[in-house]
Amino acid sequence: MDFVAGCIGGAAGVLVGHPFDTVKVRLQVQSVDKPLYRGTYHCFQSIIRQESVFGLYKGIGSPMMGLTFINAIVFGVQGNTMRLLGHDTPVNQFLAGSAAGAIQCVICCPMELAKTRMQMQGTGEKKSSRKLYKNSLDCLARIYNREGLRGVNRGMVTTFLRETPAFGVYFLAYDVVTRSLGCEPNDRYMIPKLLFAGGMAGIASWLSTYPVDVIKSRLQADGVGGVNQYSSIADCVRQSVKREGYMVFTRGLTSTLLRAFPVNAATFATVTLILMYARGTEEGPNDCEPAPPSHHTQIQQQAQPSSL
C-alpha cells in the first residue's frame, strides 16, 4: 500500500508541478545572446500565448512513465537502509535518503533526458511544423539509435551529483521539521503539518543542489539543434560562467522554488490520505492512536514521497 500510495501521490505532484518545471528548463537553457524570456512570469506568459496551455505540459509523459520505478526504488532503498542502520535519527535519515537518491539515478537520468528534449521541442510554436520526437519513448529510442547507451545516459554524472545529496537533504529536512512541529498520528492538524514539512523539505533540497541542476539541464539539452556546444561537465561550467557570470547558477530558481512547495504538498497530502484511509479500513479506528516510543517513526512511514 505504501508503494501504491507513493505512486499516486507522486503522480499528483507531477501534475501540479510540471508547468513550473517546463519554465525552469526553458530559462536554464535559453541563449544569453538572444534570450526568449525576461523572467519566470514572462516565460509562463509566452509559452501559453505561443504554444497554448498544453505547452506547459510538454514532456510530462516521461516523468509519469518513470514514476512507478522511481518510487519503487526510493521507497525500497530508503526503508531498507533505515532498517539496516537501526535507529531513526536525522543523520540516518540523510544517509538513507542519499542512498535512495543515488540508486534511482538509473531511471531518473534517461527520464529527465527525454523530458528535457520534449520540453525544448517546438519552442515558441503552437503547432510544431516539424516534430523530431513523437513522444518520450520515441525520443529515447531515437537517441539510443543515434548515440547508443551513452547518449541515453547523457548527464548521468550530474544527475548523480544532484540526486544523492538532494534526497539526503530532503529526508533530513522532513525529519527535522516534523520533529519540530510535533506531528502525532492523532493530531487534528497532522495533515497541514505534513504539507508544510514536505514543502519546506522540497525547497531545502532544491536549494542545496540547484547549481548542479542547471549544468545537468544544459548538458541534456545540448545537441537539440544538431550542434553540441559542450564537451564535458567542466567545459559546460567554464563556458556558462565565462558568458553569463556566476548568476547563471540561479537561472530558473524562482519557478523551481514556486514548484517545490506545491508539488511536495500535493504528494504528501495524497500519500497521507490514501494510507490513513487504507490503514483505517484494514486495522480499524484505533490504528491512529500513537505508541509513545515510536510515534515519529509511524509518521515517517505514513508519508514519505520521493518526488522532489
Side-chain angles (χ1 to χ4, degrees):
M1 182 50 71
D2 287 342
F3 171 70
V4 173
C7 289
I8 297 173
V14 171
L15 287 171
V16 170
H18 194 77
F20 293 97
D21 188 72
T22 299
V23 170
K24 180 204 76 169
V25 171
R26 294 282 182 93
L27 290 172
Q28 284 179 336
V29 305
Q30 71 173 343
S31 170
V32 66
D33 299 320
K34 297 179 180 179
L36 293 173
Y37 314 112
R38 295 191 297 270
T40 301
Y41 179 74
H42 182 248
C43 185
F44 263 111
Q45 194 178 44
S46 299
I47 292 173
I48 293 172
R49 186 178 64 249
Q50 297 169 356
E51 305 170 45
S52 80
V53 175
F54 295 108
L56 294 170
Y57 286 92
K58 282 183 176 178
I60 195 172
S62 180
M64 280 295 189
M65 284 190 300
L67 198 62
T68 302
F69 301 104
I70 287 176
N71 273 276
I73 293 170
V74 169
F75 274 80
V77 172
Q78 201 271 346
N80 285 321
T81 304
M82 283 299 295
R83 281 189 287 273
L84 186 66
L85 293 171
H87 301 286
D88 180 16
T89 65
V91 173
N92 286 349
Q93 288 288 343
F94 177 84
L95 294 175
S98 295
I103 293 175
Q104 59 93 41
C105 288
V106 177
I107 304 296
C108 180
C109 180
M111 181 196 79
E112 294 215 347
L113 174 65
K115 174 184 70 68
T116 300
R117 295 292 177 91
M118 291 294 293
Q119 286 173 327
M120 295 304 298
Q121 182 171 253
T123 300
E125 301 176 11
K126 184 168 286 190
K127 287 189 177 181
S128 302
S129 53
R130 178 177 166 272
K131 283 189 176 181
L132 183 58
Y133 310 117
K134 297 175 184 175
N135 51 51
S136 298
L137 281 176
D138 180 60
C139 176
L140 289 175
R142 286 175 179 269
I143 293 172
Y144 177 78
N145 290 334
R146 194 167 58 248
E147 304 174 48
L149 277 176
R150 185 173 182 177
V152 171
N153 289 295
R154 178 187 291 270
M156 178 63 80
V157 175
T158 46
T159 301
F160 177 83
L161 292 174
R162 184 194 71 175
E163 296 291 275
T164 303
F167 269 94
V169 170
Y170 180 81
F171 282 104
L172 171 64
Y174 170 69
D175 183 74
V176 170
V177 174
T178 51
R179 287 178 189 273
S180 300
L181 293 175
C183 294
E184 301 279 353
N186 62 347
D187 188 346
R188 62 183 296 187
Y189 298 113
M190 184 185 70
I191 292 178
K193 287 180 178 180
L194 290 176
L195 292 176
F196 179 76
M200 295 308 295
I203 288 174
S205 177
W206 273 110
L207 286 173
S208 69
T209 59
Y210 193 76
V212 181
D213 185 68
V214 174
I215 299 303
K216 181 198 74 70
S217 293
R218 292 193 165 204
L219 289 172
Q220 291 187 325
D222 193 33
V224 170
V227 180
N228 289 100
Q229 187 178 353
Y230 310 115
S231 59
S232 64
I233 296 172
D235 182 52
C236 181
V237 173
R238 186 167 51 249
Q239 286 194 46
S240 298
V241 172
K242 184 179 179 180
R243 297 180 67 190
E244 304 168 57
Y246 287 101
M247 288 301 290
V248 68
F249 297 118
T250 64
R251 280 275 194 98
L253 181 60
T254 301
S255 63
T256 300
L257 297 183
L258 287 173
R259 165 183 176 259
F261 199 98
V263 162
N264 285 281
T267 306
F268 261 99
T270 306
V271 170
T272 304
L273 290 173
I274 290 174
L275 286 177
M276 284 181 67
Y277 175 77
R279 291 168 61 148
T281 308
E282 292 172 7
E283 300 178 23
N286 294 326
D287 179 58
C288 290
E289 292 182 4
S294 61
H295 73 268
H296 185 72
T297 304
Q298 289 181 13
I299 292 290
Q300 288 274 332
Q301 293 172 344
Q302 192 170 45
Q304 282 186 340
S306 64
S307 172
L308 293 180

